[in-house]
Amino acid sequence: MIPPLRTVVGAAIALSSALPVERRRERRQEHLDRHATKQDLYARYLAAHAHMRAHFRILAATSGLSDEESANRARTAYTSCFAPRYELEVLAPQSVLSPAQELDGRARILRDVLIKGTNIQAQGTEAMNEYLDSMRLVRAAMRADLGVNDSR
């Protein structure tokens, strides 16, 4: 009778010590997965804005387009930011979301400046500078959220 009892007690001890270790491992893996997901999302969000900005600059430098074609190209370039922005609203903390919403507002202003026919490289520099300042704040918030030291 004693040997089976020892076996049960030994199994209970082994199980009770293994469960907390497994829980910690699962939590760590969840944290790593969430971190990787955020890194990917933040990179896609910033890349979408870089893509939009590049298209805006090309559009500003392109002559001979009708107002309608120019407006359509500006709107199309801006729409590349939609998907990552909506993902950001679901996954990012408020410390990242607030400056990102500000950046999106600045991007809309920049888009509207282009639609009006203003050359962002000449007269639209204030709108572009405000957009770039917002971009720096978003980048800093994302880096802080990811725990990236900024030793630059």
Side-chain angles (χ1 to χ4, degrees), residues 7-116:
T7 303
V8 169
V9 170
I13 291 171
L15 186 60
S16 67
S17 65
L19 285 176
V21 170
E22 184 60 29
R23 280 192 198 121
R24 279 193 299 269
R25 186 177 312 135
E26 286 175 3
R27 279 191 217 126
R28 174 143 175 79
Q29 188 58 48
E30 284 176 17
H31 175 75
L32 291 172
D33 291 346
R34 188 177 232 326
H35 190 268
T37 299
K38 281 184 180 181
Q39 275 182 315
D40 182 55
L41 171 59
Y42 292 172
R44 282 185 288 115
Y45 179 84
L46 294 173
H49 273 274
H51 180 262
M52 178 203 69
R53 194 171 61 248
H55 275 78
F56 281 0
R57 286 192 171 138
I58 291 168
L59 184 58
T62 302
S63 60
L65 295 176
S66 69
D67 290 346
E68 184 179 336
E69 178 64 20
S70 181
N72 284 337
R73 287 187 184 189
R75 286 185 191 101
T76 300
Y78 175 70
T79 61
S80 67
C81 298
F82 285 178
R85 182 180 73 218
Y86 290 126
E87 289 180 67
L88 204 65
E89 289 179 9
V90 173
L91 294 174
Q94 195 62 43
S95 61
V96 171
L97 193 55
S98 292
Q101 289 169 334
E102 177 70 22
L103 177 64
D104 290 327
R106 297 292 177 190
R108 280 190 302 277
I109 290 169
L110 203 51
R111 177 204 62 198
D112 294 345
V113 165
L114 272 170
I115 289 172
K116 290 177 187 171

